[in-house]
Amino acid sequence: MWYLQGINSLIENKLNEDIALLPVGGVTKITIYANILCNNDLKTVAFIDSDNEANQAAQDAIIKYRLGNKNILQAKVFCSHNIPAAATEDIIRATLIPIFEKIYNKKISERDKTSTEPIIKIFKKIQKDFSKEKLAKEFLQWAKEKSSSDLTADEQTHCQNLINTINRRLK
């Protein structure tokens, strides 16, 4: 949720004001939320990572029935690199690398920067006490002080595509 809020604050075309972001606490809870929201006639989109657990959730019959295939959005679709197990962080990985380096005073190798491995996995390999929450909070703070021009061109395109897709699906 923090990444979507930060991305939304950076890009030109924002999320529709009527859209509420709800963190569900992992893909295992999507079925519950999809049932609750859809039973109340609320249009719903699930934005999920692309790891094995998320791939299984995306194929879940109840989720597919409740949301429809078009309303299950996986992070890998919005990434520049071909990262099969992409997470939300991989959409803005070039931006997150210097934020990570600043927080932990560590350098990311060129090999890791261009790897198809999810960036969070790389961060965890380099920093044993790595915190996803700490990184997300730092990104949100960074986003408050920056603009879309501070993202790479690919990140700008993919972030705008993500927000536009959510807006279209919830129209």
Side-chain angles (χ1 to χ4, degrees), residues 88-102:
T88 304
E89 293 88 350
D90 290 298
I91 298 170
I92 50 171
R93 82 188 272 145
T95 294
L96 290 179
I97 288 171
I99 294 171
F100 169 88
E101 290 176 336
K102 180 182 168 198

Side-chain angles (χ1 to χ4, degrees), residues 51-161:
D51 58 12
N52 287 336
E53 188 178 20
N55 289 334
Q56 289 174 349
Q59 298 306 314
D60 182 272
I62 295 170
I63 295 171
K64 285 174 124 178
Y65 172 75
R66 287 299 195 184
L67 302 180
N69 284 335
K70 288 185 175 183
N71 286 356
I72 302 169
L73 308 176
Q74 288 194 275
K76 66 183 173 188
V77 174
F78 303 97
C79 290
S80 296
H81 298 84
N82 180 21
I83 303 169
T88 304
E89 293 88 350
D90 290 298
I91 298 170
I92 50 171
R93 82 188 272 145
T95 294
L96 290 179
I97 288 171
I99 294 171
F100 169 88
E101 290 176 336
K102 180 182 168 198
I103 294 170
Y104 294 104
N105 196 28
K106 302 273 176 122
K107 289 289 182 194
I108 304 295
S109 71
E110 288 303 315
R111 185 174 150 263
D112 282 339
K113 287 179 184 179
T114 58
S115 171
T116 59
E117 194 170 33
I119 197 66
I120 293 301
K121 190 172 181 180
I122 293 168
F123 290 164
K124 286 179 178 178
K125 185 172 51 176
I126 294 169
Q127 185 66 36
K128 299 300 178 210
D129 66 342
F130 170 74
S131 166
K132 287 178 73 169
E133 292 79 15
K134 187 175 186 176
L135 182 67
K137 286 179 184 178
E138 284 293 323
F139 170 73
L140 193 54
Q141 185 60 43
W142 178 91
K144 288 179 184 177
E145 302 166 3
K146 303 292 183 176
S147 69
S148 63
S149 64
D150 293 300
L151 297 170
T152 68
D154 281 343
E155 288 173 331
Q156 290 175 41
T157 299
H158 293 298
C159 288
Q160 191 63 71
N161 187 23

Side-chain angles (χ1 to χ4, degrees), residues 13-74:
N13 297 324
K14 310 273 186 222
L15 277 173
N16 181 309
E17 291 178 2
D18 297 330
I19 293 174
L21 299 175
L22 300 173
V24 298
V27 294
T28 57
K29 297 177 185 167
I30 290 176
T31 304
I32 296 165
Y33 278 85
N35 279 324
I36 292 169
L37 296 170
C38 292
N39 282 341
N40 288 293
D41 295 324
L42 296 170
K43 292 180 182 176
T44 305
V45 166
F47 176 61
I48 60 177
D49 291 340
S50 303
D51 58 12
N52 287 336
E53 188 178 20
N55 289 334
Q56 289 174 349
Q59 298 306 314
D60 182 272
I62 295 170
I63 295 171
K64 285 174 124 178
Y65 172 75
R66 287 299 195 184
L67 302 180
N69 284 335
K70 288 185 175 183
N71 286 356
I72 302 169
L73 308 176
Q74 288 194 275

